[in-house]
Amino acid sequence: MAATLYIETQGTGPDLVLLHGWGLHGGVWDTLLPRLIPHFRVSRVDLPGHGQSRSTPMTAELRDVAQQVLASVPANATWLGWSLGGLIALRAALDAPEKIRALVLASTTPKFVTGPDWPMAMLPEQLQEFATGLQGDYRETLLRFLSLQVQGDTAARASLRQLREALFSRGEPDTASLAAGLELLRVSDLRHELKTIAMPALVIAGGYDRLTPPAAGEALARCIFGARYTRIDKSAHAPFLSHAHEFAASLTAFMEGLDAGRHEMRGAVS
């Protein structure tokens, strides 16, 4: 599938691809970027329909979106996916493991809505409220979603300000793509495929996250053979903003371990 995604690349070193969450764009990583570019060549992707990739529509097929990103980023990179970006990273790792070196999965989950055997997620009704809101005042809907992301965080006010400043800084998102992104979150369930992933992985969860609770992160790490798990206790859904130093330290240690060959293939949830 042809892809024309907007990507900003900075820094030198091992390739690191950053995938943002729903409704935002690659600029959301601005706070974290200065901690990364001295060590890595960082490619910040604007996902389809978002930011400066808004002319490339997002479809409601997760595999298609993953293929768009795979066609646009360097091969053999580590992929850092946050929230929806993490779901896309998981799909790409399942479909093209030879093209991805490792995964860092931040505040994400293989299944975003609750089910009889999956209580640690959003209620379907909650997600539907956002889908319905897009049909009216989509700006207000996005702002409400941002507020939910920081609830409980010890740095909630500062994090919310950063998210709001980033939201429309690259123009208006495509509302049809926003709806497609919510549909991806509603229908995707990768839990039963995760055991086939055989690459190094780090799962980072926020202790106060109400969208992807830490229990979901623990379950995700258990499903990926050899995955590492870390929880940033006082953060919510955007730990790379509210606790950038701690987040970057975990990421950098993981990346350095890749270069040193220190990642043993064993369960490592801690």
Short mmCIF file of all heavy atoms in Angstrom, two decimals, residues 167-205:
data_model
loop_
_atom_site.label_atom_id
_atom_site.label_comp_id
_atom_site.label_asym_id
_atom_site.label_seq_id
_atom_site.Cartn_x
_atom_site.Cartn_y
_atom_site.Cartn_z
N LEU A 167 -2.43 19.98 20.41
CA LEU A 167 -3.57 19.38 19.73
C LEU A 167 -3.76 19.90 18.30
O LEU A 167 -3.83 19.11 17.35
CB LEU A 167 -4.84 19.61 20.55
CG LEU A 167 -6.12 18.98 20.02
CD1 LEU A 167 -5.97 17.47 19.84
CD2 LEU A 167 -7.29 19.29 20.95
N PHE A 168 -3.86 21.21 18.12
CA PHE A 168 -4.13 21.77 16.80
C PHE A 168 -2.92 22.51 16.23
O PHE A 168 -3.07 23.29 15.28
CB PHE A 168 -5.34 22.71 16.86
CG PHE A 168 -6.61 22.01 17.30
CD1 PHE A 168 -7.25 22.39 18.47
CD2 PHE A 168 -7.15 20.99 16.55
CE1 PHE A 168 -8.41 21.76 18.87
CE2 PHE A 168 -8.31 20.33 16.95
CZ PHE A 168 -8.94 20.73 18.12
N SER A 169 -1.75 22.27 16.78
CA SER A 169 -0.57 23.01 16.33
C SER A 169 -0.12 22.61 14.94
O SER A 169 0.68 23.33 14.31
CB SER A 169 0.59 22.81 17.33
OG SER A 169 1.01 21.46 17.35
N ARG A 170 -0.59 21.49 14.43
CA ARG A 170 -0.30 21.10 13.05
C ARG A 170 -1.56 21.09 12.20
O ARG A 170 -1.67 20.34 11.23
CB ARG A 170 0.40 19.74 13.01
CG ARG A 170 1.78 19.77 13.63
CD ARG A 170 2.55 18.48 13.39
NE ARG A 170 3.89 18.56 13.98
CZ ARG A 170 4.79 17.58 13.94
NH1 ARG A 170 4.48 16.43 13.35
NH2 ARG A 170 5.97 17.74 14.49
N GLY A 171 -2.51 21.93 12.56
CA GLY A 171 -3.74 22.04 11.79
C GLY A 171 -4.83 21.13 12.32
O GLY A 171 -4.66 20.41 13.30
N GLU A 172 -5.97 21.20 11.67
CA GLU A 172 -7.13 20.42 12.08
C GLU A 172 -7.00 18.97 11.60
O GLU A 172 -6.64 18.73 10.44
CB GLU A 172 -8.40 21.03 11.47
CG GLU A 172 -8.62 22.49 11.83
CD GLU A 172 -9.08 22.66 13.25
OE1 GLU A 172 -9.79 21.78 13.76
OE2 GLU A 172 -8.74 23.70 13.86
N PRO A 173 -7.28 18.00 12.44
CA PRO A 173 -7.27 16.61 11.99
C PRO A 173 -8.46 16.33 11.09
O PRO A 173 -9.42 17.10 11.05
CB PRO A 173 -7.36 15.82 13.30
CG PRO A 173 -8.09 16.74 14.23
CD PRO A 173 -7.66 18.13 13.86
N ASP A 174 -8.38 15.25 10.34
CA ASP A 174 -9.48 14.82 9.49
C ASP A 174 -10.50 14.07 10.34
O ASP A 174 -10.19 13.05 10.97
CB ASP A 174 -8.93 13.91 8.39
CG ASP A 174 -10.03 13.31 7.53
OD1 ASP A 174 -10.79 14.07 6.93
OD2 ASP A 174 -10.12 12.07 7.48
N THR A 175 -11.74 14.57 10.40
CA THR A 175 -12.71 13.99 11.31
C THR A 175 -13.09 12.56 10.92
O THR A 175 -13.36 11.73 11.80
CB THR A 175 -13.99 14.85 11.38
OG1 THR A 175 -14.49 15.09 10.06
CG2 THR A 175 -13.68 16.19 12.04
N ALA A 176 -13.09 12.25 9.63
CA ALA A 176 -13.37 10.87 9.22
C ALA A 176 -12.27 9.94 9.72
O ALA A 176 -12.54 8.80 10.14
CB ALA A 176 -13.49 10.78 7.70
N SER A 177 -11.03 10.42 9.72
CA SER A 177 -9.92 9.61 10.23
C SER A 177 -10.00 9.45 11.74
O SER A 177 -9.65 8.41 12.29
CB SER A 177 -8.58 10.23 9.83
OG SER A 177 -8.37 10.15 8.43
N LEU A 178 -10.47 10.50 12.42
CA LEU A 178 -10.68 10.38 13.86
C LEU A 178 -11.70 9.29 14.16
O LEU A 178 -11.51 8.47 15.07
CB LEU A 178 -11.15 11.71 14.45
CG LEU A 178 -10.15 12.86 14.46
CD1 LEU A 178 -10.81 14.12 15.00
CD2 LEU A 178 -8.91 12.52 15.27
N ALA A 179 -12.78 9.27 13.39
CA ALA A 179 -13.80 8.24 13.59
C ALA A 179 -13.23 6.85 13.28
O ALA A 179 -13.51 5.88 14.00
CB ALA A 179 -15.00 8.52 12.69
N ALA A 180 -12.40 6.75 12.25
CA ALA A 180 -11.78 5.47 11.91
C ALA A 180 -10.85 5.01 13.03
O ALA A 180 -10.79 3.82 13.36
CB ALA A 180 -11.03 5.58 10.59
N GLY A 181 -10.13 5.96 13.63
CA GLY A 181 -9.25 5.61 14.74
C GLY A 181 -9.99 5.07 15.93
O GLY A 181 -9.57 4.09 16.56
N LEU A 182 -11.14 5.68 16.25
CA LEU A 182 -11.97 5.16 17.34
C LEU A 182 -12.50 3.77 17.02
O LEU A 182 -12.60 2.91 17.90
CB LEU A 182 -13.13 6.11 17.62
CG LEU A 182 -12.81 7.43 18.33
CD1 LEU A 182 -14.07 8.23 18.54
CD2 LEU A 182 -12.10 7.19 19.66
N GLU A 183 -12.82 3.53 15.75
CA GLU A 183 -13.29 2.21 15.37
C GLU A 183 -12.18 1.17 15.53
O GLU A 183 -12.44 0.05 15.97
CB GLU A 183 -13.78 2.24 13.92
CG GLU A 183 -14.37 0.93 13.42
CD GLU A 183 -15.66 0.52 14.13
OE1 GLU A 183 -16.19 1.28 14.96
OE2 GLU A 183 -16.15 -0.60 13.84
N LEU A 184 -10.95 1.55 15.21
CA LEU A 184 -9.81 0.65 15.45
C LEU A 184 -9.72 0.29 16.93
O LEU A 184 -9.51 -0.88 17.29
CB LEU A 184 -8.50 1.30 15.01
CG LEU A 184 -8.27 1.49 13.51
CD1 LEU A 184 -6.91 2.17 13.28
CD2 LEU A 184 -8.33 0.17 12.77
N LEU A 185 -9.86 1.29 17.79
CA LEU A 185 -9.80 1.04 19.23
C LEU A 185 -10.96 0.15 19.69
O LEU A 185 -10.81 -0.67 20.60
CB LEU A 185 -9.83 2.36 20.00
CG LEU A 185 -8.65 3.31 19.77
CD1 LEU A 185 -8.84 4.59 20.58
CD2 LEU A 185 -7.32 2.66 20.12
N ARG A 186 -12.11 0.31 19.06
CA ARG A 186 -13.30 -0.45 19.48
C ARG A 186 -13.21 -1.92 19.11
O ARG A 186 -13.57 -2.80 19.90
CB ARG A 186 -14.56 0.16 18.86
CG ARG A 186 -15.85 -0.48 19.36
CD ARG A 186 -17.07 0.13 18.68
NE ARG A 186 -17.19 -0.31 17.29
CZ ARG A 186 -17.74 -1.47 16.92
NH1 ARG A 186 -18.24 -2.31 17.83
NH2 ARG A 186 -17.82 -1.78 15.64
N VAL A 187 -12.74 -2.22 17.90
CA VAL A 187 -12.86 -3.60 17.40
C VAL A 187 -11.58 -4.42 17.53
O VAL A 187 -11.63 -5.65 17.46
CB VAL A 187 -13.31 -3.60 15.92
CG1 VAL A 187 -14.63 -2.86 15.76
CG2 VAL A 187 -12.23 -3.02 15.01
N SER A 188 -10.44 -3.78 17.73
CA SER A 188 -9.18 -4.54 17.71
C SER A 188 -9.00 -5.38 18.96
O SER A 188 -9.28 -4.92 20.08
CB SER A 188 -7.98 -3.59 17.56
OG SER A 188 -8.04 -2.90 16.33
N ASP A 189 -8.53 -6.58 18.78
CA ASP A 189 -8.22 -7.49 19.88
C ASP A 189 -7.07 -8.39 19.43
O ASP A 189 -7.26 -9.35 18.68
CB ASP A 189 -9.44 -8.33 20.25
CG ASP A 189 -9.20 -9.23 21.46
OD1 ASP A 189 -8.05 -9.25 21.97
OD2 ASP A 189 -10.14 -9.93 21.88
N LEU A 190 -5.87 -8.07 19.88
CA LEU A 190 -4.67 -8.79 19.46
C LEU A 190 -4.17 -9.77 20.51
O LEU A 190 -3.10 -10.36 20.35
CB LEU A 190 -3.55 -7.78 19.13
CG LEU A 190 -3.87 -6.72 18.08
CD1 LEU A 190 -2.66 -5.84 17.84
CD2 LEU A 190 -4.36 -7.35 16.79
N ARG A 191 -4.94 -9.98 21.56
CA ARG A 191 -4.44 -10.76 22.69
C ARG A 191 -3.97 -12.16 22.30
O ARG A 191 -2.93 -12.62 22.77
CB ARG A 191 -5.53 -10.88 23.76
CG ARG A 191 -5.83 -9.58 24.49
CD ARG A 191 -7.00 -9.76 25.44
NE ARG A 191 -8.23 -10.07 24.72
CZ ARG A 191 -9.32 -10.58 25.30
NH1 ARG A 191 -9.31 -10.85 26.60
NH2 ARG A 191 -10.40 -10.82 24.58
N HIS A 192 -4.71 -12.81 21.43
CA HIS A 192 -4.41 -14.21 21.13
C HIS A 192 -3.29 -14.38 20.12
O HIS A 192 -2.86 -15.50 19.86
CB HIS A 192 -5.68 -14.90 20.64
CG HIS A 192 -6.82 -14.81 21.62
ND1 HIS A 192 -6.74 -15.34 22.89
CD2 HIS A 192 -8.03 -14.21 21.54
CE1 HIS A 192 -7.86 -15.10 23.54
NE2 HIS A 192 -8.66 -14.41 22.74
N GLU A 193 -2.79 -13.26 19.57
CA GLU A 193 -1.67 -13.32 18.64
C GLU A 193 -0.34 -12.96 19.28
O GLU A 193 0.72 -13.22 18.71
CB GLU A 193 -1.92 -12.38 17.46
CG GLU A 193 -3.15 -12.71 16.64
CD GLU A 193 -3.33 -11.73 15.50
OE1 GLU A 193 -2.51 -11.75 14.57
OE2 GLU A 193 -4.29 -10.93 15.55
N LEU A 194 -0.38 -12.35 20.46
CA LEU A 194 0.82 -11.77 21.04
C LEU A 194 1.91 -12.80 21.33
O LEU A 194 3.10 -12.48 21.29
CB LEU A 194 0.48 -11.01 22.32
CG LEU A 194 -0.44 -9.80 22.16
CD1 LEU A 194 -0.70 -9.17 23.51
CD2 LEU A 194 0.13 -8.80 21.18
N LYS A 195 1.53 -14.03 21.61
CA LYS A 195 2.53 -15.05 21.95
C LYS A 195 3.46 -15.35 20.79
O LYS A 195 4.52 -15.95 21.00
CB LYS A 195 1.84 -16.33 22.41
CG LYS A 195 0.99 -16.99 21.35
CD LYS A 195 0.30 -18.24 21.90
CE LYS A 195 -0.56 -18.91 20.82
NZ LYS A 195 -1.26 -20.11 21.37
N THR A 196 3.11 -14.90 19.57
CA THR A 196 3.98 -15.14 18.43
C THR A 196 5.05 -14.08 18.27
O THR A 196 5.96 -14.23 17.44
CB THR A 196 3.16 -15.22 17.13
OG1 THR A 196 2.57 -13.95 16.85
CG2 THR A 196 2.06 -16.28 17.24
N ILE A 197 4.97 -12.99 19.04
CA ILE A 197 5.99 -11.95 18.96
C ILE A 197 7.25 -12.43 19.67
O ILE A 197 7.21 -12.83 20.84
CB ILE A 197 5.49 -10.63 19.59
CG1 ILE A 197 4.33 -10.08 18.76
CG2 ILE A 197 6.61 -9.60 19.66
CD1 ILE A 197 3.71 -8.81 19.34
N ALA A 198 8.37 -12.38 18.97
CA ALA A 198 9.63 -12.91 19.53
C ALA A 198 10.75 -11.89 19.42
O ALA A 198 11.88 -12.23 19.13
CB ALA A 198 10.01 -14.19 18.80
N MET A 199 10.42 -10.63 19.64
CA MET A 199 11.44 -9.57 19.64
C MET A 199 11.47 -8.90 21.00
O MET A 199 10.51 -9.01 21.78
CB MET A 199 11.13 -8.53 18.56
CG MET A 199 9.87 -7.73 18.79
SD MET A 199 9.51 -6.56 17.46
CE MET A 199 9.14 -7.69 16.09
N PRO A 200 12.57 -8.25 21.35
CA PRO A 200 12.62 -7.55 22.64
C PRO A 200 11.49 -6.53 22.75
O PRO A 200 11.15 -5.85 21.77
CB PRO A 200 13.99 -6.86 22.62
CG PRO A 200 14.80 -7.65 21.65
CD PRO A 200 13.84 -8.12 20.61
N ALA A 201 10.92 -6.41 23.93
CA ALA A 201 9.80 -5.49 24.14
C ALA A 201 9.86 -4.93 25.55
O ALA A 201 10.21 -5.62 26.51
CB ALA A 201 8.47 -6.19 23.90
N LEU A 202 9.50 -3.65 25.65
CA LEU A 202 9.37 -2.97 26.94
C LEU A 202 7.97 -2.39 27.01
O LEU A 202 7.54 -1.68 26.09
CB LEU A 202 10.40 -1.85 27.06
CG LEU A 202 10.24 -0.89 28.25
CD1 LEU A 202 10.47 -1.61 29.57
CD2 LEU A 202 11.19 0.31 28.10
N VAL A 203 7.25 -2.69 28.07
CA VAL A 203 5.91 -2.15 28.30
C VAL A 203 5.99 -1.14 29.44
O VAL A 203 6.48 -1.46 30.53
CB VAL A 203 4.91 -3.27 28.64
CG1 VAL A 203 3.53 -2.67 28.94
CG2 VAL A 203 4.83 -4.28 27.50
N ILE A 204 5.53 0.09 29.19
CA ILE A 204 5.55 1.15 30.20
C ILE A 204 4.11 1.55 30.50
O ILE A 204 3.35 1.90 29.59
CB ILE A 204 6.34 2.38 29.72
CG1 ILE A 204 7.78 1.98 29.33
CG2 ILE A 204 6.36 3.45 30.80
CD1 ILE A 204 8.60 3.13 28.77
N ALA A 205 3.74 1.51 31.76
CA ALA A 205 2.37 1.84 32.17
C ALA A 205 2.38 2.96 33.20
O ALA A 205 3.34 3.13 33.95
CB ALA A 205 1.67 0.60 32.75
#
